Amino acid sequence: MNSFYILLIAYIIAGTALAIYSRKYGFRTHEEYFIAGRNVSGVVSALTYAATTYSAFMMVGLVGLSYATGVGAAAFELFYLVGTLFLLSYFAPKMWRFAKENGVVTPAEMLSKKYGKAEGILASLIPVVALIPYTSAQIIGVSLILEKTVGLTFQNALVISVFLIAFWALIGGLRGVAWTDAVQGVIMLLAGFLALALALNFVEGNVLEESSSLGSLLQVPNKIWTVERFIALTVPWFFFALTNPQVVQRVFIPKSEKDLKRMVVLFGLFGLIYTFIVTFMGITLKIATVQGNFPEISYRDDVTPVFITKIPEYAGLIIALSILAAAITTANSIILSLASMISRDILREEGVFYGKIFVVILSVIVGIFAYFRLSYIVELSVMSSAILLCLLPATLGVFSERIKRARASIAAGFVAAIVFKLAGVMLYGVYALIVSSLVLAAENIKNREVR
Protein backbone atom coordinates (compact mmCIF):
# COMPACT_ATOMS: atom_id res chain seq x y z
CA MET A 1 0.00 0.00 0.00
CA ASN A 2 2.44 2.63 -1.21
CA SER A 3 -0.46 5.07 -1.35
CA PHE A 4 -0.65 4.99 2.42
CA TYR A 5 2.92 6.21 2.73
CA ILE A 6 2.06 9.18 0.54
CA LEU A 7 -1.03 9.89 2.66
CA LEU A 8 0.98 9.46 5.87
CA ILE A 9 3.65 11.89 4.70
CA ALA A 10 0.99 14.44 3.70
CA TYR A 11 -0.65 14.02 7.12
CA ILE A 12 2.66 14.53 8.92
CA ILE A 13 3.47 17.63 6.85
CA ALA A 14 0.03 19.14 7.47
CA GLY A 15 0.13 18.40 11.21
CA THR A 16 3.64 19.79 11.50
CA ALA A 17 2.68 22.94 9.60
CA LEU A 18 -0.23 23.56 11.99
CA ALA A 19 2.01 22.97 15.00
CA ILE A 20 4.65 25.35 13.68
CA TYR A 21 2.07 28.01 12.83
CA SER A 22 0.71 27.85 16.38
CA ARG A 23 4.14 28.90 17.68
CA LYS A 24 3.51 32.47 16.58
CA TYR A 25 1.41 32.88 19.73
CA GLY A 26 4.44 32.13 21.90
CA PHE A 27 5.27 29.46 24.47
CA ARG A 28 7.10 31.41 27.14
CA THR A 29 4.70 30.56 29.95
CA HIS A 30 2.93 27.42 31.16
CA GLU A 31 -0.40 29.04 30.38
CA GLU A 32 0.57 29.60 26.74
CA TYR A 33 2.21 26.22 26.22
CA PHE A 34 -0.06 23.87 28.17
CA ILE A 35 -3.55 25.47 27.89
CA ALA A 36 -3.24 27.71 24.80
CA GLY A 37 -3.48 30.93 26.79
CA ARG A 38 -7.13 30.20 27.73
CA ASN A 39 -8.14 31.53 24.34
CA VAL A 40 -9.72 28.69 22.35
CA SER A 41 -13.11 28.95 20.63
CA GLY A 42 -16.05 26.74 21.56
CA VAL A 43 -15.96 24.80 18.30
CA VAL A 44 -12.24 24.01 18.49
CA SER A 45 -12.59 23.25 22.21
CA ALA A 46 -15.36 20.74 21.41
CA LEU A 47 -13.36 19.06 18.67
CA THR A 48 -10.19 18.83 20.76
CA TYR A 49 -12.22 17.44 23.69
CA ALA A 50 -13.80 14.86 21.37
CA ALA A 51 -10.55 13.94 19.64
CA THR A 52 -8.78 13.64 22.99
CA THR A 53 -11.53 11.41 24.37
CA TYR A 54 -12.44 9.31 21.34
CA SER A 55 -9.23 7.60 20.39
CA ALA A 56 -8.07 4.20 19.12
CA PHE A 57 -10.21 3.02 22.02
CA MET A 58 -13.26 3.62 19.81
CA MET A 59 -12.55 2.59 16.24
CA VAL A 60 -10.35 -0.33 17.30
CA GLY A 61 -11.18 -1.17 20.92
CA LEU A 62 -14.93 -0.50 21.03
CA VAL A 63 -15.60 -1.95 17.58
CA GLY A 64 -13.90 -5.13 18.76
CA LEU A 65 -15.73 -5.09 22.08
CA SER A 66 -19.09 -4.67 20.31
CA TYR A 67 -18.20 -7.50 17.93
CA ALA A 68 -17.30 -9.84 20.78
CA THR A 69 -19.86 -8.88 23.43
CA GLY A 70 -22.83 -7.31 21.67
CA VAL A 71 -25.07 -4.42 22.70
CA GLY A 72 -23.61 -4.32 26.21
CA ALA A 73 -20.67 -2.45 24.68
CA ALA A 74 -23.03 0.27 23.41
CA ALA A 75 -24.64 0.61 26.84
CA PHE A 76 -21.19 0.79 28.43
CA GLU A 77 -20.09 3.64 26.18
CA LEU A 78 -23.40 5.49 26.44
CA PHE A 79 -23.03 5.48 30.22
CA TYR A 80 -19.74 7.29 29.70
CA LEU A 81 -21.35 9.89 27.43
CA VAL A 82 -24.30 10.51 29.78
CA GLY A 83 -21.97 10.77 32.76
CA THR A 84 -19.63 13.15 30.97
CA LEU A 85 -22.39 15.48 29.82
CA PHE A 86 -23.98 15.49 33.27
CA LEU A 87 -20.69 16.22 35.03
CA LEU A 88 -19.55 18.83 32.51
CA SER A 89 -22.88 20.64 32.61
CA TYR A 90 -22.61 21.11 36.38
CA PHE A 91 -18.88 21.15 37.16
CA ALA A 92 -17.21 22.53 34.01
CA PRO A 93 -18.31 26.16 34.65
CA LYS A 94 -17.13 25.86 38.27
CA MET A 95 -13.74 24.48 37.21
CA TRP A 96 -13.35 27.04 34.42
CA ARG A 97 -14.02 29.95 36.80
CA PHE A 98 -11.80 28.50 39.55
CA ALA A 99 -8.93 28.01 37.09
CA LYS A 100 -9.25 31.48 35.59
CA GLU A 101 -9.54 33.26 38.94
CA ASN A 102 -6.64 31.36 40.53
CA GLY A 103 -4.32 31.10 37.54
CA VAL A 104 -4.62 27.31 37.50
CA VAL A 105 -2.99 25.51 34.56
CA THR A 106 -3.12 21.84 35.63
CA PRO A 107 -5.76 19.68 37.35
CA ALA A 108 -3.26 18.93 40.12
CA GLU A 109 -2.77 22.65 40.70
CA MET A 110 -6.50 22.99 41.24
CA LEU A 111 -6.17 20.60 44.18
CA SER A 112 -3.04 22.29 45.54
CA LYS A 113 -4.77 25.69 45.47
CA LYS A 114 -7.62 24.23 47.50
CA TYR A 115 -5.78 21.92 49.91
CA GLY A 116 -2.01 22.40 49.73
CA LYS A 117 1.14 21.20 48.01
CA ALA A 118 0.89 17.59 49.21
CA GLU A 119 -2.43 17.00 47.45
CA GLY A 120 -1.08 18.66 44.29
CA ILE A 121 1.99 16.42 44.22
CA LEU A 122 -0.08 13.27 44.77
CA ALA A 123 -2.50 14.35 42.05
CA SER A 124 0.49 14.77 39.71
CA LEU A 125 2.26 11.49 40.44
CA ILE A 126 -0.76 9.18 40.36
CA PRO A 127 -1.84 10.08 36.80
CA VAL A 128 1.71 9.47 35.60
CA VAL A 129 1.39 5.89 36.85
CA ALA A 130 -2.26 5.42 35.85
CA LEU A 131 -2.22 6.90 32.36
CA ILE A 132 0.75 5.00 30.96
CA PRO A 133 -1.50 1.98 30.18
CA TYR A 134 -4.20 4.18 28.63
CA THR A 135 -1.71 6.05 26.48
CA SER A 136 -0.05 2.80 25.43
CA ALA A 137 -3.47 1.58 24.27
CA GLN A 138 -3.45 4.35 21.66
CA ILE A 139 -0.07 3.24 20.36
CA ILE A 140 -1.16 -0.39 20.28
CA GLY A 141 -4.25 0.52 18.24
CA VAL A 142 -2.27 2.50 15.68
CA SER A 143 0.49 -0.09 15.42
CA LEU A 144 -2.00 -2.93 14.88
CA ILE A 145 -3.64 -0.97 12.07
CA LEU A 146 -0.33 -0.16 10.36
CA GLU A 147 0.88 -3.73 10.82
CA LYS A 148 -2.21 -5.24 9.21
CA THR A 149 -2.82 -2.71 6.45
CA VAL A 150 0.53 -1.28 5.41
CA GLY A 151 2.90 -4.13 6.12
CA LEU A 152 4.95 -2.25 8.71
CA THR A 153 6.16 -4.35 11.60
CA PHE A 154 4.44 -3.64 14.91
CA GLN A 155 7.74 -2.29 16.26
CA ASN A 156 8.33 0.13 13.38
CA ALA A 157 4.74 1.37 13.55
CA LEU A 158 5.22 1.92 17.27
CA VAL A 159 8.34 4.03 16.67
CA ILE A 160 6.53 6.23 14.11
CA SER A 161 3.64 6.77 16.52
CA VAL A 162 5.85 7.68 19.47
CA PHE A 163 7.84 10.09 17.34
CA LEU A 164 4.72 11.93 16.15
CA ILE A 165 3.33 12.14 19.69
CA ALA A 166 6.47 13.74 21.07
CA PHE A 167 7.25 15.86 18.01
CA TRP A 168 3.88 17.63 17.70
CA ALA A 169 3.56 18.14 21.44
CA LEU A 170 7.04 19.65 21.55
CA ILE A 171 6.73 22.11 18.71
CA GLY A 172 3.05 23.04 18.96
CA GLY A 173 2.09 22.84 22.62
CA LEU A 174 -1.61 22.63 23.46
CA ARG A 175 -2.62 25.21 20.85
CA GLY A 176 -0.99 23.21 18.06
CA VAL A 177 -2.52 20.01 19.41
CA ALA A 178 -5.97 21.65 19.61
CA TRP A 179 -5.81 22.83 16.01
CA THR A 180 -4.70 19.43 14.74
CA ASP A 181 -7.42 17.89 16.94
CA ALA A 182 -10.04 19.99 15.16
CA VAL A 183 -8.97 18.66 11.78
CA GLN A 184 -8.56 15.13 13.08
CA GLY A 185 -11.99 15.19 14.75
CA VAL A 186 -13.62 15.90 11.40
CA ILE A 187 -11.56 13.13 9.76
CA MET A 188 -12.60 10.68 12.51
CA LEU A 189 -16.30 11.39 12.06
CA LEU A 190 -16.29 11.22 8.25
CA ALA A 191 -14.18 8.06 8.27
CA GLY A 192 -16.56 6.54 10.81
CA PHE A 193 -19.55 7.06 8.49
CA LEU A 194 -17.55 5.53 5.63
CA ALA A 195 -16.53 2.52 7.73
CA LEU A 196 -20.09 1.84 8.86
CA ALA A 197 -21.44 2.10 5.32
CA LEU A 198 -18.86 -0.42 4.11
CA ALA A 199 -19.48 -2.75 7.06
CA LEU A 200 -23.18 -2.86 6.15
CA ASN A 201 -22.20 -4.21 2.73
CA PHE A 202 -20.94 -7.42 4.38
CA VAL A 203 -24.44 -8.27 5.63
CA GLU A 204 -27.01 -10.02 3.43
CA GLY A 205 -30.48 -8.63 4.06
CA ASN A 206 -31.68 -6.08 6.59
CA VAL A 207 -29.26 -5.68 9.49
CA LEU A 208 -31.99 -5.19 12.10
CA GLU A 209 -33.82 -8.31 10.96
CA GLU A 210 -30.63 -10.36 10.75
CA SER A 211 -29.55 -9.26 14.24
CA SER A 212 -31.77 -11.97 15.73
CA SER A 213 -29.00 -14.41 14.82
CA LEU A 214 -26.81 -12.95 17.57
CA GLY A 215 -28.94 -14.40 20.36
CA SER A 216 -27.71 -13.43 23.83
CA LEU A 217 -25.40 -10.74 22.41
CA LEU A 218 -28.53 -8.60 22.05
CA GLN A 219 -29.25 -8.80 25.80
CA VAL A 220 -27.80 -7.18 28.90
CA PRO A 221 -26.93 -8.82 31.21
CA ASN A 222 -25.73 -12.00 29.51
CA LYS A 223 -22.96 -14.52 30.12
CA ILE A 224 -20.37 -11.93 29.00
CA TRP A 225 -21.89 -8.72 30.35
CA THR A 226 -22.61 -9.76 33.91
CA VAL A 227 -23.84 -7.11 36.33
CA GLU A 228 -20.47 -7.11 38.10
CA ARG A 229 -18.52 -6.70 34.86
CA PHE A 230 -20.80 -3.93 33.64
CA ILE A 231 -20.37 -1.96 36.88
CA ALA A 232 -16.61 -2.55 36.91
CA LEU A 233 -16.25 -1.05 33.43
CA THR A 234 -18.83 1.73 33.53
CA VAL A 235 -18.18 3.39 36.91
CA PRO A 236 -14.59 4.50 36.04
CA TRP A 237 -15.80 5.64 32.62
CA PHE A 238 -18.80 7.52 34.04
CA PHE A 239 -16.50 9.81 36.07
CA PHE A 240 -13.83 10.11 33.35
CA ALA A 241 -14.47 13.84 32.87
CA LEU A 242 -13.42 14.68 36.45
CA THR A 243 -10.57 12.23 36.99
CA ASN A 244 -8.52 12.19 33.77
CA PRO A 245 -6.20 15.22 33.61
CA GLN A 246 -6.08 15.47 29.81
CA VAL A 247 -9.83 16.20 29.66
CA VAL A 248 -10.01 18.21 32.88
CA GLN A 249 -7.36 20.49 31.40
CA ARG A 250 -9.53 20.93 28.29
CA VAL A 251 -12.11 22.65 30.51
CA PHE A 252 -9.57 25.42 31.20
CA ILE A 253 -8.97 26.38 27.56
CA PRO A 254 -12.23 28.02 26.27
CA LYS A 255 -11.94 31.80 26.11
CA SER A 256 -15.36 32.43 27.70
CA GLU A 257 -18.15 30.64 29.54
CA LYS A 258 -20.24 30.91 26.38
CA ASP A 259 -17.53 29.00 24.49
CA LEU A 260 -17.37 26.48 27.32
CA LYS A 261 -21.12 25.79 27.03
CA ARG A 262 -20.79 25.50 23.26
CA MET A 263 -17.97 23.00 23.80
CA VAL A 264 -20.17 20.77 25.97
CA VAL A 265 -23.13 20.81 23.57
CA LEU A 266 -21.07 20.12 20.45
CA PHE A 267 -19.05 17.41 22.18
CA GLY A 268 -22.28 15.70 23.24
CA LEU A 269 -23.53 15.69 19.65
CA PHE A 270 -20.21 14.37 18.36
CA GLY A 271 -20.11 11.69 21.04
CA LEU A 272 -23.61 10.42 20.40
CA ILE A 273 -23.03 10.07 16.66
CA TYR A 274 -19.58 8.49 16.99
CA THR A 275 -20.72 6.02 19.66
CA PHE A 276 -23.56 4.84 17.42
CA ILE A 277 -21.19 4.44 14.47
CA VAL A 278 -18.55 2.32 16.16
CA THR A 279 -20.84 0.08 18.21
CA PHE A 280 -23.24 -0.56 15.31
CA MET A 281 -20.22 -1.30 13.12
CA GLY A 282 -18.97 -3.97 15.52
CA ILE A 283 -22.40 -5.61 15.79
CA THR A 284 -22.81 -5.45 12.00
CA LEU A 285 -19.52 -7.25 11.42
CA LYS A 286 -20.53 -9.91 13.95
CA ILE A 287 -23.73 -10.53 11.96
CA ALA A 288 -21.59 -10.81 8.82
CA THR A 289 -19.42 -13.39 10.58
CA VAL A 290 -22.48 -15.44 11.52
CA GLN A 291 -23.55 -15.31 7.86
CA GLY A 292 -20.09 -16.41 6.71
CA ASN A 293 -19.32 -13.12 4.96
CA PHE A 294 -16.63 -11.90 7.37
CA PRO A 295 -13.86 -13.93 9.06
CA GLU A 296 -14.26 -15.17 12.63
CA ILE A 297 -12.01 -13.00 14.81
CA SER A 298 -10.81 -14.39 18.15
CA TYR A 299 -8.54 -11.50 19.24
CA ARG A 300 -11.13 -8.73 19.25
CA ASP A 301 -8.69 -5.82 18.75
CA ASP A 302 -8.00 -7.34 15.31
CA VAL A 303 -11.58 -6.81 14.06
CA THR A 304 -11.00 -3.34 12.59
CA PRO A 305 -7.52 -4.14 11.18
CA VAL A 306 -8.93 -7.22 9.41
CA PHE A 307 -11.95 -5.22 8.21
CA ILE A 308 -9.64 -2.65 6.63
CA THR A 309 -7.95 -5.38 4.58
CA LYS A 310 -11.35 -6.49 3.21
CA ILE A 311 -12.55 -3.14 1.84
CA PRO A 312 -11.42 -1.03 -1.15
CA GLU A 313 -7.93 0.39 -0.76
CA TYR A 314 -8.99 4.05 -0.82
CA ALA A 315 -11.42 3.45 2.05
CA GLY A 316 -8.87 1.49 4.03
CA LEU A 317 -6.43 4.38 3.67
CA ILE A 318 -8.92 6.92 5.00
CA ILE A 319 -10.04 4.75 7.93
CA ALA A 320 -6.47 3.81 8.85
CA LEU A 321 -5.51 7.48 8.80
CA SER A 322 -8.48 8.40 11.01
CA ILE A 323 -7.41 5.82 13.60
CA LEU A 324 -3.85 7.08 13.47
CA ALA A 325 -5.13 10.64 13.93
CA ALA A 326 -7.39 9.68 16.84
CA ALA A 327 -4.66 7.81 18.67
CA ILE A 328 -1.96 10.43 18.14
CA THR A 329 -4.09 13.31 19.33
CA THR A 330 -5.20 11.46 22.48
CA ALA A 331 -1.68 10.37 23.28
CA ASN A 332 0.00 13.73 22.84
CA SER A 333 -2.77 15.40 24.86
CA ILE A 334 -2.12 12.99 27.73
CA ILE A 335 1.64 13.43 27.44
CA LEU A 336 1.27 17.23 27.53
CA SER A 337 -0.96 17.06 30.62
CA LEU A 338 1.40 14.75 32.47
CA ALA A 339 4.43 16.83 31.52
CA SER A 340 2.67 20.01 32.67
CA MET A 341 1.97 18.52 36.10
CA ILE A 342 5.51 17.22 36.56
CA SER A 343 6.96 20.56 35.47
CA ARG A 344 4.57 22.89 37.28
CA ASP A 345 3.32 20.98 40.32
CA ILE A 346 6.35 18.87 41.24
CA LEU A 347 9.44 20.69 39.93
CA ARG A 348 7.86 24.15 40.30
CA GLU A 349 9.42 25.26 37.02
CA GLU A 350 8.49 28.73 35.77
CA GLY A 351 9.47 28.16 32.14
CA VAL A 352 8.71 25.20 29.88
CA PHE A 353 12.16 23.59 29.43
CA TYR A 354 11.62 20.67 31.80
CA GLY A 355 8.07 20.30 30.58
CA LYS A 356 9.41 19.64 27.08
CA ILE A 357 12.04 17.23 28.43
CA PHE A 358 9.32 15.18 30.10
CA VAL A 359 7.26 15.16 26.91
CA VAL A 360 10.09 13.13 25.36
CA ILE A 361 10.71 10.93 28.42
CA LEU A 362 7.04 10.05 28.88
CA SER A 363 6.60 9.32 25.16
CA VAL A 364 9.44 6.80 25.30
CA ILE A 365 8.03 5.15 28.43
CA VAL A 366 4.63 4.83 26.77
CA GLY A 367 6.24 3.27 23.70
CA ILE A 368 8.05 0.68 25.81
CA PHE A 369 4.85 -0.20 27.68
CA ALA A 370 2.92 -0.52 24.38
CA TYR A 371 5.56 -2.87 22.97
CA PHE A 372 4.56 -5.61 25.44
CA ARG A 373 0.78 -5.45 24.72
CA LEU A 374 -0.23 -6.54 28.21
CA SER A 375 -4.01 -6.51 27.65
CA TYR A 376 -6.86 -5.52 25.33
CA ILE A 377 -7.26 -1.82 24.49
CA VAL A 378 -10.56 -1.40 26.36
CA GLU A 379 -9.26 -3.08 29.51
CA LEU A 380 -6.08 -0.98 29.49
CA SER A 381 -8.14 2.19 29.10
CA VAL A 382 -10.59 1.32 31.87
CA MET A 383 -7.76 0.27 34.20
CA SER A 384 -6.30 3.77 33.99
CA SER A 385 -9.64 5.40 34.80
CA ALA A 386 -10.29 2.94 37.63
CA ILE A 387 -7.02 3.90 39.30
CA LEU A 388 -7.76 7.59 38.82
CA LEU A 389 -11.05 7.26 40.73
CA CYS A 390 -9.02 7.93 43.88
CA LEU A 391 -8.89 11.60 42.75
CA LEU A 392 -12.67 11.98 42.43
CA PRO A 393 -13.62 12.74 46.08
CA ALA A 394 -10.82 15.31 46.37
CA THR A 395 -11.83 16.93 43.07
CA LEU A 396 -15.45 17.21 44.16
CA GLY A 397 -14.24 18.58 47.50
CA VAL A 398 -12.66 21.57 45.74
CA PHE A 399 -16.15 23.06 45.55
CA SER A 400 -17.15 22.34 49.16
CA GLU A 401 -16.37 24.65 52.06
CA ARG A 402 -16.43 21.71 54.47
CA ILE A 403 -13.59 19.80 52.80
CA LYS A 404 -10.17 21.09 53.88
CA ARG A 405 -7.84 18.11 53.46
CA ALA A 406 -7.58 15.30 50.91
CA ARG A 407 -4.06 13.83 50.98
CA ALA A 408 -4.98 10.70 52.95
CA SER A 409 -8.03 10.16 50.75
CA ILE A 410 -6.00 10.29 47.54
CA ALA A 411 -3.23 8.06 48.88
CA ALA A 412 -5.59 5.49 50.41
CA GLY A 413 -7.70 5.27 47.25
CA PHE A 414 -4.64 4.78 45.06
CA VAL A 415 -3.20 2.05 47.28
CA ALA A 416 -6.59 0.35 47.48
CA ALA A 417 -6.94 0.36 43.67
CA ILE A 418 -3.52 -1.26 43.22
CA VAL A 419 -4.06 -3.85 45.98
CA PHE A 420 -7.53 -4.83 44.78
CA LYS A 421 -6.33 -5.01 41.17
CA LEU A 422 -3.40 -7.27 42.08
CA ALA A 423 -5.78 -9.42 44.13
CA GLY A 424 -7.93 -9.96 41.04
CA VAL A 425 -10.99 -8.13 42.38
CA MET A 426 -13.17 -7.15 39.40
CA LEU A 427 -14.71 -4.13 41.14
CA TYR A 428 -11.31 -2.81 42.25
CA GLY A 429 -12.04 0.69 40.98
CA VAL A 430 -15.39 0.90 42.74
CA TYR A 431 -13.93 -0.35 46.04
CA ALA A 432 -11.03 2.10 45.73
CA LEU A 433 -13.53 4.93 45.24
CA ILE A 434 -15.41 3.84 48.35
CA VAL A 435 -12.17 3.72 50.36
CA SER A 436 -11.13 7.15 49.10
CA SER A 437 -14.54 8.65 49.94
CA LEU A 438 -14.62 7.18 53.45
CA VAL A 439 -11.09 8.36 54.21
CA LEU A 440 -11.91 11.86 52.91
CA ALA A 441 -14.88 12.02 55.26
CA ALA A 442 -12.83 10.70 58.18
CA GLU A 443 -9.87 13.04 57.74
CA ASN A 444 -12.11 16.10 57.47
CA ILE A 445 -14.15 15.12 60.53
CA LYS A 446 -10.88 14.76 62.41
CA ASN A 447 -9.65 18.08 61.00
CA ARG A 448 -12.78 19.90 62.26
CA GLU A 449 -12.35 18.35 65.71
CA VAL A 450 -8.75 19.56 65.87
CA ARG A 451 -9.79 23.07 64.88
Side-chain angles (χ1 to χ4, degrees), residues 59-60 63-64 67 144-145 148-149 191-203 277-278 280-282 284-286 288-289 293-295 297 299-313 315-320 322-323:
M59 190 54 79
V60 179
V63 168
Y67 175 92
L144 286 172
I145 291 293
K148 297 286 185 183
T149 60
F193 279 115
L194 175 62
L196 178 57
L198 292 169
L200 289 169
N201 289 335
F202 284 85
V203 176
I277 288 172
V278 297
F280 195 54
M281 176 180 166
T284 298
L285 291 176
K286 187 65 173 183
T289 295
N293 299 324
F294 188 77
I297 308 295
Y299 183 72
R300 67 175 190 246
D301 284 346
D302 276 342
V303 172
T304 299
V306 171
F307 167 73
I308 288 175
T309 66
K310 303 292 183 182
I311 59 179
E313 183 182 30
L317 292 174
I318 295 171
I319 295 167
S322 75
I323 295 169

Side-chain angles (χ1 to χ4, degrees), residues 216 219-227:
S216 64
Q219 303 169 1
V220 181
N222 56 29
K223 64 180 181 179
I224 301 171
W225 282 104
T226 63
V227 173

Side-chain angles (χ1 to χ4, degrees), residues 131-357:
L131 285 171
I132 294 300
Y134 181 43
T135 315
S136 75
Q138 316 312 315
I139 310 305
I140 293 170
V142 168
S143 300
L144 286 172
I145 291 293
L146 297 182
E147 182 183 38
K148 297 286 185 183
T149 60
V150 186
L152 284 173
T153 65
F154 181 85
Q155 293 79 6
N156 288 341
L158 188 150
V159 170
I160 291 173
S161 302
V162 170
F163 171 77
L164 288 178
I165 290 166
F167 184 57
W168 285 346
L170 278 174
I171 65 174
L174 192 280
R175 190 183 303 276
V177 169
W179 286 354
T180 54
D181 281 358
V183 175
Q184 290 169 164
V186 174
I187 292 173
M188 288 162 56
L189 202 57
L190 294 177
F193 279 115
L194 175 62
L196 178 57
L198 292 169
L200 289 169
N201 289 335
F202 284 85
V203 176
E204 296 177 6
N206 185 284
V207 173
L208 296 179
E209 293 176 357
E210 296 298 323
S211 64
S212 60
S213 63
L214 298 183
S216 64
L217 293 183
L218 296 178
Q219 303 169 1
V220 181
N222 56 29
K223 64 180 181 179
I224 301 171
W225 282 104
T226 63
V227 173
E228 186 180 30
R229 177 178 172 81
F230 190 80
I231 293 173
L233 291 179
T234 55
V235 169
W237 228 229
F238 187 90
F239 293 107
F240 185 93
L242 297 184
T243 58
N244 282 250
Q246 72 277 12
V247 290
V248 174
Q249 210 165 29
R250 288 301 189 275
V251 173
F252 303 161
I253 70 174
K255 58 186 176 182
S256 68
E257 286 199 60
K258 182 178 179 181
D259 286 291
L260 178 67
K261 292 176 181 177
R262 185 176 290 119
M263 178 193 86
V264 175
V265 171
L266 293 177
F267 164 73
L269 181 61
F270 186 107
L272 184 62
I273 294 171
Y274 202 54
T275 297
F276 169 79
I277 288 172
V278 297
T279 54
F280 195 54
M281 176 180 166
I283 292 170
T284 298
L285 291 176
K286 187 65 173 183
I287 295 171
T289 295
V290 172
Q291 292 181 338
N293 299 324
F294 188 77
E296 180 74 39
I297 308 295
S298 56
Y299 183 72
R300 67 175 190 246
D301 284 346
D302 276 342
V303 172
T304 299
V306 171
F307 167 73
I308 288 175
T309 66
K310 303 292 183 182
I311 59 179
E313 183 182 30
Y314 79 90
L317 292 174
I318 295 171
I319 295 167
L321 181 66
S322 75
I323 295 169
L324 175 66
I328 295 299
T329 188
T330 297
N332 58 24
S333 295
I334 294 172
I335 294 298
L336 271 173
S337 289
L338 297 180
S340 70
M341 291 190 293
I342 293 173
S343 170
R344 187 174 180 86
D345 301 300
I346 297 176
L347 300 180
R348 304 289 171 177
E349 181 194 22
E350 293 185 4
V352 296
F353 176 78
Y354 288 112
K356 291 183 176 181
I357 293 295

